[in-house]
Each structure stands twice: as C-alpha cells, then as structure tokens.
Amino acid sequence: MPDANALKDQGNKAFATKDWDKAIDLFSQAIAIDGSNHVLYSNRSAAYTGKREWTTALKDAEKCIELNPTWSKGYARKGAALHGAKSYDEAIAAYEAGLKIEDSAPLRKGLQEVKDAKSFDSEGQKGDNPFASMFADPNLIGKLATNPRTSKHLADPSFVQKLQFYQKNPQMLDMTDPRMIDVLGALMGIDMQGFSRPEGSNEMPTGMSTNDEVPSSPLPTSSSSPPKPSTSSAPSTEDVEMEDVDDDEAKAKKEAEILKKNGSEAYKKRDFEEAAKYFQQAWDVWPKDITFLTNLGAVYFEQGNFDQAIETCEKAVEEGRSLRADYKLIAKAYGRVGASYQRKGDLPSAIKYYEKSLTEHRTPDILNKLREAEKIKADADKKAYIDPEKSAVAREEGNVHFKAGNFAAAVKSYEEAIKRNPADARGYNNRAAAYIKLVAFPEALKDVNKAIEVDPTFVKAYIRKANVLLSMREHTKALEAVQEAELHDEGKKNATELQQLEYKIQMALYEQRGEETQEQTLERAMRDPEVAVSPLVHMLVSIFLLIYLRFSLYRTS
C-alpha cells in the first residue's frame, strides 16, 4: 500500500501533465492516510485551481491554513482561488497576510496579478475590452471551422460551448485557455504563435511548476494585457514539440556539472577550500541548479563557518523558489540552515528551520534532528530555571498552604520548588505529604521514592513512605520502609517515632490477618510480587498450608 508521500509524488506528476482529475484523486488518497499534512491540501487546492473549481480550491486552501497558519504558501493558495473567483479584495488580503509571514516572490507576484486584474476588470466594465466585438460575431464558429489552425480545436465540444458562451457574453472573455491564442490570431488574420508557448516546452507558464511547487496563483486571465501583433515568425505547434536548447546554455550546463563533480571529489578528500571553489564556480557558470549552493553550504558547515553556511543555504531557498526547484532540494537547504544554527547553539532558530524543512519534505533524518534539538532545548530550559533561593521561597509558600489546609495549592507550590531545585529531596517529600492529604497515594508513593533516589539517607522520606504504604494496606512493605529508615537514622534521632510507627503497622497487620481465612492469606501472599516470582517460596507456602489444613482436620475429627 503506497504511503502519503508516494501518492503526493504521483499527484505532482499528474499535475505537471495538467491531469487535474488524477492529481486530485491522488492527493485525496494521500489525505485519507495523513489528514494532518497541510502540504497535501495545498497541492489539491492548486489542482482544483487548475480545474477552475474556485470554491473547492478555496476550501482546501483554508484547511491548509488551519493546519499550519505559519506556512505562507497556504495564503498563496487562498489568494489564487479568490483571484479565480474574481473576489479581488479578499484575494489581495490573503496575499498580504502571506507576505507578513514570508516575503516571497510568488506572493508578491500573485498580489500584483490580482491588483492588475482588479484594475483591468474595472476598465472592462466600461466597455474597453478590445476583443469583445470580435467574439460577438454571430459567424464566429464558421470562421474558425475554415481556418486550419483552429478547426482542430472545434472537435472538443466543451471548447465549442465556451466559444458560444463568449458569443453571448463577450465581456466575460477569458484568455487562460492556450487555444484562445489560435482563435484570436484567426479572427485578427495574423499568426499569433510567436506569442505563445510551444506545446511540450519545458518552459512553464506563470504560476506553474512540475513538482510540489504547484501553482501559487491562477494562470493569467483577461486581466493580462493583450499581446501586440508581431511580424516575427515562430514554429507552430505542429512543427515543434520542444524548444531548442541554446548551444551556449548546453555548454554552460555541462561545464557546471564537471565543476560540481570536481567539487564532490574534493569534498570527499576533505579539501574544503578546493571544494568550495568548484561549487561556487559551478553556480556562477549555471545559476539554475541550487544543488551547487546547498553543496557549497555543506562545505562551509564542515569548515565551521556556520554564518556563511546559513547565508548560502538561505540563498539556495530564495533562488530555488524563483526557479521552482524540487521541494526536496528546498527541504535540504532548510535542514542545513537548521543544523548550522544548532552548531552555533541557537536552538530556537534550529528548531524553526527544521520545522520549515519538514513542511517541504518529511524525512526521518530531519525529524530526528528536530527531536534532538527540542530535547536539548528542554533540558537547557530546565537548567536555566534552577534557582535554589527561589526554590526555598516556593517550598515555604507550600508549607503555609499546607498548614492552612489548602493542599491543592500546596502541591502547586511544592512543584515549583522542585522545578527550581530538583536536587533537593525536601520538595518531593513535602509534596508527598500534600498528596496524602488529598488521598492520592500512588502519586505520594512516587514522590517519596524520588526523594529517596535523590537522597538515600533522607530518613523522613522513609518514614513518609511507610505511612503511605500503611494507608495503602501494604503492611509488609511498610515494615520494610521502617527498617530502612532505622538503618539510616544516625544517632537514633527518630527512634521513638519509628517505634511507634512500627507498632502501628504491626497492629494493622495483626488485625488484617485475624480477619482472613488461611486461603485468603495464601491468596494475598501469592499476589505479592516478591513471593510470586519465587517458585521455591510458592512451593514452601503451599506445603505449609497443606500440612496445616490436614492437622486442623485431624484435631477436629
């Protein structure tokens, strides 16, 4: 059964091919497995945006924000959905909310597109749409049917319906469908292919991506400025499937890969200065692959130059956003920033960037680093909180509450005393006394055991333990606690109290045994873990009981 990440990757691939329904289905399956992953809702929102289902896209965007209010991309999704629904003011507010969290290029671009769309729509309502009269032509379909470039599009019934809708509502003209470029060219009597992207090109239109960086804003709508006719010729979609790669660019890319390989070899040899030089040269030659920067950041990290590692990896994130790089590469850059902050001792920043990395791509390595950083920070916070003087004040406040009969408040004060000085056994022992008054014997027993662990010679803790066990009717264990107290009672300072406590326990034990039958005594003994774990003791008790019962029967007969 595929996991959520595998389904997400498949959904991203379907998205890249504009198979919206398949992408939505795959993201929905992933959500069914991991409904707390905000990235899945973000991606499905983008797929619904591609399908122009604005209401559903908005719903998923809002769920994404609900799960992670600090993730700026969720606001980009919301802005895109509202933009498509022509709720411009709300879309602007969504983008601005995202920019308050992170100043990113996609958010700024989305915001500008909404503002442009709002401005254009305001002008369009005044009748300024330059193409409205063309599409209002009643012979529109006939003209397109006779044109070899547009006739093939009429084989799609949904596209014909769209054209008929624009005939009746020319003011609603929308240029998001790339086939509309051919239609516009046919109506204007010019070749518009020079202004469109060749089918199959690797170049993505504005707001699109082939990986987890799915559209942050809808494709340009009628708010975009109309293309100006040009006499330049360009290959048509029938002739070209992919854009030709410029020879110089191909050469630069190849050179960069060689430099990267040299840098990796130098890195393995721990020749970091040489590795840094190669990775920097690779980026300078081909600034379209952020792995050159993340590798350079790794070199600085190994050199102990953590500030430069942070700066380089943050640049990798920024450049990666503009290049729409794979989300896994963005996650790796964030992870290295977090590791650099951790080595600097800045644990809050380290945790922040580890969490950012996990929002991009969840990996066990970064998750373990996050947990380690959180644990170290928690331990450091505890140590920083220790203050013996304030502990004594809190313990004294607890004593005041205890004497006043406010045992719940006493527990709270003793707890503060323990946090301020966990090496002082008196805090645990005093809290145990308050728990006894609240009849919370298991909690009291834990505290006296902790007090003894902290200070094994603390006689008062043994005495309190014996009292707790007595209240729990664990008389044998209570006697053992008294015996331990006597061993640590130097100078016999507590001899009288211990004798009285032992007598009290013996009387309770005698009363308990007097009320029991021999069978109940045996059953109680077998429940004692120290007896139950010893087969020899079990056997001896059984033999003794058997002899006793036979002797009793003999005497009665």
Side-chain angles (χ1 to χ4, degrees), residues 3 13 22 28-29 43 79 109 115 120 139-140 288 308 312 317 354-355 364 370 410 425 427 434 452 454 463 466 491:
D3 60 17
K13 291 177 182 177
K22 184 177 180 181
S28 298
Q29 290 181 49
N43 288 7
K109 183 175 178 59
K115 289 181 177 179
F120 186 86
N139 296 320
L140 173 67
K288 295 184 180 182
Q308 201 161 358
T312 302
V317 171
Y354 285 145
E355 289 174 342
L370 172 62
I452 291 169
V454 172
I463 293 174

Side-chain angles (χ1 to χ4, degrees), residues 429 448 452 455-467 478 480-482 484-486 488 498 501:
N429 195 47
V448 290
I452 291 169
D455 184 0
T457 65
F458 192 14
V459 177
K460 291 294 184 182
Y462 290 106
I463 293 174
R464 185 144 289 146
K465 180 177 180 179
N467 280 301
E480 292 174 357
V482 171
E484 289 180 354
E486 289 173 343
H488 295 287
L498 288 170
L501 180 56

Side-chain angles (χ1 to χ4, degrees), residues 130-196:
F131 306 127
S133 59
M134 297 182 191
F135 281 83
D137 185 349
N139 296 320
L140 173 67
I141 304 298
K143 290 181 179 180
L144 298 178
T146 59
N147 188 297
R149 191 180 298 281
T150 56
S151 60
K152 62 180 181 178
H153 301 323
L154 300 181
D156 182 355
S158 63
F159 185 67
V160 175
Q161 290 179 358
K162 184 185 292 187
L163 292 172
Q164 291 171 342
F165 174 77
Y166 292 151
Q167 277 185 292
K168 297 177 181 179
N169 305 278
Q171 73 281 2
M172 299 294 290
L173 179 61
D174 189 341
M175 297 297 293
T176 52
D177 191 330
R179 293 172 293 185
M180 297 300 293
I181 299 294
D182 290 338
V183 172
L184 182 60
L187 296 177
M188 296 177 65
I190 61 174
D191 179 6
M192 296 296 292
Q193 280 299 315
F195 311 104
S196 65

Side-chain angles (χ1 to χ4, degrees), residues 410-470:
V411 167
K412 187 175 181 180
S413 294
Y414 291 140
E415 186 171 345
E416 176 67 12
I418 291 169
K419 289 180 180 178
R420 287 294 185 180
N421 190 5
D424 189 342
R426 291 175 294 178
Y428 300 103
N429 195 47
N430 288 9
R431 189 169 67 177
Y435 277 137
I436 292 172
K437 293 294 184 180
L438 293 170
V439 199
F441 300 126
E443 288 77 9
L445 185 59
K446 288 179 184 177
D447 268 356
V448 290
N449 283 331
K450 183 64 178 179
I452 291 169
E453 178 188 331
V454 172
D455 184 0
T457 65
F458 192 14
V459 177
K460 291 294 184 182
Y462 290 106
I463 293 174
R464 185 144 289 146
K465 180 177 180 179
N467 280 301
V468 172
L469 292 168
L470 177 60

